[in-house]
Amino acid sequence: MANVSNKSATNPYGWIAQSLQTLHRANWYRQVKPIDGKGGAVITIDGKRCLNFASNDYLGLAGDPRLAAAAAAAVTTYGTGSTGSRLLSGQRPIHRQLEQAIAQLKGTEDAIVFSSGYLANLGTLAALIDHRDLVIADGYNHSSLQMGARLSGATVAVYDHNDLNQLQQHLVTKRAQYRRCLLVTDSVFSMDGDLCSLPEILDLADQWDAMVMVDEAHGTGVLGASGGGAVEYLGCRHRPMVQVGTLSKALGSLGGYVTGSADLIDFLRNRTATWIYTTGLSPADAAAARAAIAILTQSPELLIQLTENAHYLRKSLDQLHVQRLPSESPIVCIQVKDAATVLALGQHLQQQGIFASAVRPPTVPTSRLRMTVMATHTQADIDRLITAIRSF
Ligand SMILES: *Cc1c(COP(=O)(O)O)cnc(C)c1O
């Protein structure tokens, strides 16, 4: 056999090193930055204390002793692993308790929890639609929604970010050629901080016999009088739709969920590959998320503080006259002209003891400094961030 192979062939893995070089040249190369201890408004990086404006832990619950205690108790009661698919040996009472708590928070009939938000989105899209169907999606949708739409095999039509005229145009020109139609959008756009026009999207869906799937990853526990998300904040709780989200952001744990009608959830339990063919969420993660929902419900002051802090950051940036992207959430971005400049700004802030994300293409179309505020930041923390930005 030896003389059959081509010994002069180049290394078939050589392209990987070349590809890495290209990433370095474009300033697109990324590296992990370990945080020494717990997350929170103040963290330690390389032994140095830092103010943290780069976390999704909006309510500061990921380091909360009440979540840790709930997780520890669940490990003692149920063990560390759930040991199987939810449909086989992986179901514990804590899973149903969590799903009921999510449905109650969201004002829906039922909910189903996944091992991550990413898996919830992939699996739900692939279960709801196939090659006979049409997905109409916002151009800024999260990676998991884009990948899920592709995985489903449906035809995908994309509209420019928040451009409802284009959305409608897709409906006019394409809807009739397909069986089902699904309009898909983030509720709070994760890299920008602005919201989708949910009431109008739901109206268009009604008019065109389409379903709506909305991703509340950055909305749940963040917006709405009871933390029910952008759906609550925008007054759409009573309307039928498919809501997805994560337990890993404001709820301080890990996992994803889908919530909606009892039929929808029952269908997903039967048809969603990323739920059926994977191990059930760990008891510790489920218990921590359930404890977070209980705290959110019992302590409305957390949500009020978060809203005030987000308002204070936006107002302070506007007084600096920096170019800021529109935002109605704790995600606040300032525009920076290119990848190299935003990296330099990020490093400058880190030298001043401030951690914020320099976000670059291909994650986003234009480079920006992305800051997220938490309920546990003080006004003095935000003032320090502003001073550091001003000194760049
Ligand atoms: C973070 C995020 C997800 C993924 O959630 P995970 O639980 O972290 O996998 C999905 N959609 C959006 C909009 C997100 O921001």
Side-chain angles (χ1 to χ4, degrees), residues 86-375:
R86 290 279 298 280
L87 287 175
L88 296 172
S89 60
Q91 175 94 5
R92 302 291 180 282
I94 187 68
H95 292 115
R96 263 325 265 166
Q97 289 158 2
L98 171 61
E99 287 167 343
Q100 280 156 359
I102 293 167
Q104 198 164 23
L105 175 68
K106 288 296 210 161
T108 49
E109 288 176 1
D110 203 357
I112 177 173
V113 294
F114 289 73
S115 304
S116 78
Y118 208 109
L119 287 173
N121 286 349
L122 289 185
T124 301
L125 282 158
L128 293 179
I129 46 177
D130 67 25
H131 64 279
R132 292 164 288 186
D133 306 320
L134 174 66
V135 176
I136 307 182
D138 189 289
Y140 281 13
N141 276 354
H142 188 261
S143 160
S144 55
L145 296 176
Q146 298 180 24
M147 291 297 186
R150 262 203 254 172
L151 182 66
S152 76
T155 299
V156 183
V158 176
Y159 54 94
D160 287 347
H161 179 49
N162 269 340
D163 186 337
L164 293 195
N165 286 329
Q166 268 187 39
L167 194 177
Q168 186 166 21
Q169 217 41 50
H170 284 309
L171 286 165
V172 171
T173 57
K174 301 186 179 70
R175 172 68 188 97
Q177 296 150 245
Y178 295 91
R179 183 187 59 163
R180 299 179 194 138
C181 177
L182 179 63
L183 313 185
V184 183
T185 183
D186 284 22
S187 68
V188 179
F189 285 89
S190 53
M191 288 298 142
D192 297 71
D194 57 345
L195 308 187
C196 73
S197 308
L198 190 59
E200 293 79 4
I201 290 173
L202 288 164
D203 288 345
L204 282 169
D206 282 349
Q207 208 179 319
W208 289 89
D209 183 29
M211 304 178 284
V212 172
M213 176 167 162
V214 61
D215 184 338
E216 286 268 65
H218 293 275
T220 302
V222 173
L223 295 176
S226 60
V231 171
E232 181 186 13
Y233 177 75
L234 297 169
C236 300
R237 273 172 86 114
H238 59 289
R239 304 190 63 171
M241 73 189 103
V242 181
Q243 294 188 53
V244 294
T246 183
L247 308 175
S248 67
K249 288 172 179 150
L251 301 180
S253 182
L254 180 69
Y257 65 82
V258 183
T259 189
S261 74
D263 278 350
L264 168 73
I265 303 308
D266 209 20
F267 172 81
L268 293 176
R269 276 193 291 261
N270 284 278
R271 299 295 297 166
T272 310
T274 62
W275 187 81
I276 297 170
Y277 301 105
T278 195
T279 301
L281 185 65
S282 84
D285 291 320
R290 179 163 166 261
I293 294 173
I295 292 169
L296 174 65
T297 312
Q298 289 152 21
S299 317
E301 65 276 7
L302 268 181
L303 208 52
I304 293 165
Q305 193 58 53
L306 176 62
T307 308
E308 278 178 12
N309 285 353
H311 178 74
Y312 186 70
L313 173 59
R314 290 191 297 258
K315 197 184 74 182
S316 306
L317 285 170
D318 290 345
Q319 283 163 357
L320 273 190
H321 300 294
V322 291
Q323 267 208 315
R324 179 168 76 68
L325 297 178
S327 161
E328 277 186 77
S329 72
I331 302 168
V332 181
C333 297
I334 54 181
Q335 277 185 300
V336 178
K337 74 173 191 301
D338 55 33
T341 312
V342 81
L343 280 179
L345 174 56
Q347 275 155 16
H348 170 79
L349 293 180
Q350 199 151 347
Q351 281 154 11
Q352 315 279 312
I354 287 168
F355 187 38
S357 320
V359 192
R360 294 158 284 161
T363 307
V364 288
T366 56
S367 295
R368 69 203 59 184
L369 185 77
R370 177 181 181 272
M371 295 153 284
T372 50
V373 279
M374 298 169 59

